[in-house]
Amino acid sequence: MSGETLLHIDGQLVRVKAGSSVAAALRVAGGVGVARTSVTGQPRAPFCGMGVCQECRVFIDGRRRLACQTVCAEGMRVETSE
Amino acid sequence: MDADVIVIGAGIVGAACAHALAQGGRRVLVLDARIGGATGAGMGHLVVMDDNPAELALSSHSTAQWRALAPRMGEDCAYSACGTLWIAANEEEMAEAERKQQRLHEHGIESRLLGAAALARAEPALRKGLAGALEVPGDGILYAPNAARWLLAQGGDSIRVEHAKVGAIEDDGTLRLADGSRRAAPQIVLANGIEATTLCPELPIRPKKGHLLITDRYPGTVNHQLVELGYVTSAHHSDGDSVAFNVQPRPTGQLLIGSSRQFDSTDPAVEAPMLARMLQRALDYLPGLADLNAVRSWTGLRAATPDGLPLLGQHPWREKLWLAVGHEGLGVTTAPGSAHLLAALMTGGVPEFDAAPYAPRGLLERSA
Ligand SMILES: Cc1cc2nc3c(=O)[nH]c(=O)nc-3n(C[C@H](O)[C@H](O)[C@H](O)COP(=O)(O)OP(=O)(O)OC[C@H]3O[C@@H](n4cnc5c(N)ncnc54)[C@H](O)[C@@H]3O)c2cc1C
Ligand code: FES
């Protein structure tokens, strides 16, 4: 399958291969791919990649979702600040 | 250290007992197998319960102690004086709220009736059409595993914790550890929760399994610990499964959602049908929960006695052994009161409330 998907991460336009997870898009957008900040202020990034660790929580179109369990869709808006 | 007392179990009850005994001048050795227990699995609601006078005495004494300790407790104990709202769904339950207020009032415990409009202002996330609530502002919440560690740390040199599993209590009160070594002291406290029956099979304790679920952070959704008034009737059926609406606002902004009760299951697995029933009940009260993201769900075992009161006092025939077990779904709340009572009895003091209702009872006779 060819093609690309264009989405917004924290206001920045990011282009990924179609079918990529939002966790992958976070890496494309910003190096380590930080998803959120813990209560003690530490940055957290996707860890398990399979929906278990809950470290990859982000807002996707206004709702809290797991980045590793969500496939990028055209025009999707992802926000990592919590 | 030559210990005056050995406490078996470093959950919230064992930790509180060690703390109270150390305050009474005793040198305490705490043995914990680190297999975990209800303290790490529960909700940490500090709540005055009034099903009977003995429960009311123990829980009100205990919540007062928690309030006194709270200003000194570390931040990670996550104490919050959020109070409880007992939610009345209809006029019948509102009448129960009034009776409850009367009972609490007679015991000198502050509470306040909220009508439908006042309840909606206090907790806008609740569904419309509820009759009202009884607010108990002296109730609170804490994070029990850290509170247990904090209590142990308060003992300084008087409390030593050793990570070891007790395999058996011998007839003369000597403890045999899993590694084959032995420990002895003039007094032993059994405070190992649901595991108590492995060391004392005669204890009348049954497991009552509970499910919990925690959401992602949504600060400000809920302000008080919320419990349905129907909880009292649904939670205390002695048999059969039940669920009740019970939601706790964690200081992180997360919502901790309970609660279910199932007898005699020791399987720790999360059971989807039970979890679904519990969440459906929660949605009946807080419809907006459906849009929130859950982070984790888990289960725990409550150590239930037939009459719902813990067993606190000297074991009738095992030499040197004292019991602090059977705290069911209220052990975080009642740990300080239980410890106060037991430490007074063990050191020849006079407890601040009558010890008789909690005295060990209903023990099966020793098999020949
Ligand atoms: C789902 C659920 C919700 C709850 N909600 C609340 C609530 O909101 N408010 C409230 O007040 N209570 C609540 N409770 C009840 C409360 O959690 C318990 O009553 C309380 O934690 C019991 O503490 P404990 O110290 O007696 O036992 P535990 O916490 O079970 O501790 C026992 C300890 O003994 C150790 N141990 C076991 N066997 C041995 C051995 N052979 N040798 C050495 N060590 C051993 C274990 O490692 C463990 O640390 C809830 C419980 C559940 C399950
Ligand atoms: S990376 Fe672990 S849940 Fe998404």
Side-chain angles (χ1 to χ4, degrees):
Chain A
M1 210 178 78
S2 67
E4 292 179 326
T5 306
L6 204 58
L7 70 162
H8 307 261
I9 296 183
D10 294 329
Q12 177 196 347
L13 269 175
V14 177
R15 191 182 301 275
V16 293
K17 258 215 298 233
S20 302
S21 70
V22 173
L26 289 171
R27 294 278 321 240
V28 171
V32 291
V34 166
R36 64 186 195 96
T37 309
S38 79
V39 271
T40 53
Q42 290 172 304
R44 295 295 170 100
F47 177 64
C48 71
M50 58 185 193
V52 175
C53 74
Q54 304 281 328
E55 296 292 11
C56 66
R57 276 122 68 189
V58 289
F59 278 99
I60 298 179
D61 294 334
R63 286 180 70 167
R64 211 80 57 83
R65 295 268 183 244
L66 294 180
C68 73
Q69 298 296 295
T70 309
V71 177
C72 294
E74 193 67 24
M76 193 178 245
R77 288 184 181 275
V78 178
E79 282 147 58
T80 62
S81 56
E82 198 167 298
Chain B
M1 176 176 81
D2 251 352
D4 302 312
V5 185
I6 296 175
V7 176
I8 306 172
I12 196 77
V13 173
C17 288
H19 177 255
L21 286 160
Q23 297 235 302
R26 299 296 190 270
R27 291 162 304 166
V28 187
L29 171 63
V30 179
L31 299 177
D32 192 279
R34 288 217 259 196
I35 51 179
T39 298
M43 282 187 100
H45 186 196
L46 309 176
V47 52
V48 173
M49 294 290 284
D50 61 338
D51 291 343
N52 57 64
E55 188 184 55
L56 180 53
L58 183 61
S59 61
S60 63
H61 185 278
S62 295
T63 50
Q65 273 200 63
W66 279 124
R67 281 195 298 277
L69 290 171
R72 292 196 283 120
M73 274 174 1
E75 182 119 5
D76 68 351
C77 295
Y79 176 86
S80 156
C82 60
T84 303
L85 286 185
W86 290 92
I87 312 287
N90 49 42
E91 289 313 316
E92 216 178 307
E93 289 185 4
M94 202 58 202
E96 178 53 31
E98 284 164 27
R99 286 193 291 275
K100 190 178 180 69
Q101 185 186 36
Q102 194 54 39
R103 286 193 299 273
L104 296 183
H105 178 72
E106 281 159 17
H107 212 79
I109 294 154
E110 195 189 335
S111 68
R112 190 161 74 94
L113 284 166
L114 306 184
L119 176 59
R121 274 195 303 276
E123 296 291 352
L126 285 169
R127 78 162 154 85
K128 304 279 169 287
L130 294 166
L134 181 69
E135 179 180 8
V136 184
D139 286 358
I141 58 168
L142 54 68
Y143 183 59
N146 286 348
R149 278 188 281 273
W150 181 81
L151 285 167
L152 291 173
Q154 297 313 295
D157 292 342
S158 306
I159 298 179
R160 191 161 65 85
V161 182
E162 190 182 332
H163 293 124
K165 181 170 183 169
V166 178
I169 301 170
E170 296 183 344
D171 283 345
D172 65 355
T174 303
L175 303 180
R176 188 152 44 75
L177 305 191
D179 67 4
S181 66
R182 286 175 154 70
R183 300 287 182 281
Q187 293 177 313
I188 311 288
V189 176
L190 188 71
N192 62 339
I194 195 67
E195 292 293 320
T197 52
T198 61
L199 298 176
C200 294
E202 67 275 17
L203 297 177
I205 289 175
R206 289 166 69 190
K208 229 186 204 180
K209 178 173 173 177
H211 285 74
L212 292 176
L213 176 141
I214 194 158
T215 70
D216 205 340
R217 287 180 254 152
Y218 301 97
T221 310
V222 159
N223 308 305
H224 302 79
Q225 171 98 19
L226 303 177
V227 194
E228 64 168 292
L229 258 174
Y231 175 87
V232 175
T233 41
S234 60
H236 295 269
H237 294 314
S238 62
D239 282 290
D241 302 345
S242 64
V243 294
F245 168 63
N246 185 356
V247 165
Q248 175 174 105
R250 301 296 310 160
T252 53
Q254 292 174 286
L255 296 175
L256 183 49
I257 305 172
S259 63
S260 70
R261 284 178 145 82
Q262 289 164 272
F263 259 117
D264 294 328
S265 167
T266 51
D267 177 1
V270 171
E271 297 163 54
M274 186 50 68
L275 192 62
R277 253 182 83 185
M278 183 181 97
L279 292 176
Q280 192 54 56
R281 190 77 187 155
L283 286 173
D284 287 348
Y285 286 82
L286 286 173
L289 284 180
D291 292 328
L292 308 188
N293 196 24
V295 172
R296 252 176 264 289
S297 63
W298 65 92
T299 65
L301 297 177
R302 309 172 180 94
T305 61
D307 62 6
L309 290 175
L311 308 178
L312 304 170
Q314 196 158 24
H315 192 290
W317 68 76
R318 286 185 190 260
E319 213 184 323
K320 301 177 185 167
L321 188 66
W322 295 74
L323 300 177
V325 292
H327 289 75
E328 223 256 80
L330 204 55
V332 179
T333 302
T334 57
S338 301
H340 161 76
L341 197 91
L342 200 70
L345 298 176
M346 290 175 70
T347 59
V350 181
E352 288 171 20
F353 54 101
D354 183 16
Y358 322 96
R361 59 206 176 277
L363 276 64
L364 302 171
E365 279 305 317
R366 177 162 32 177
S367 49

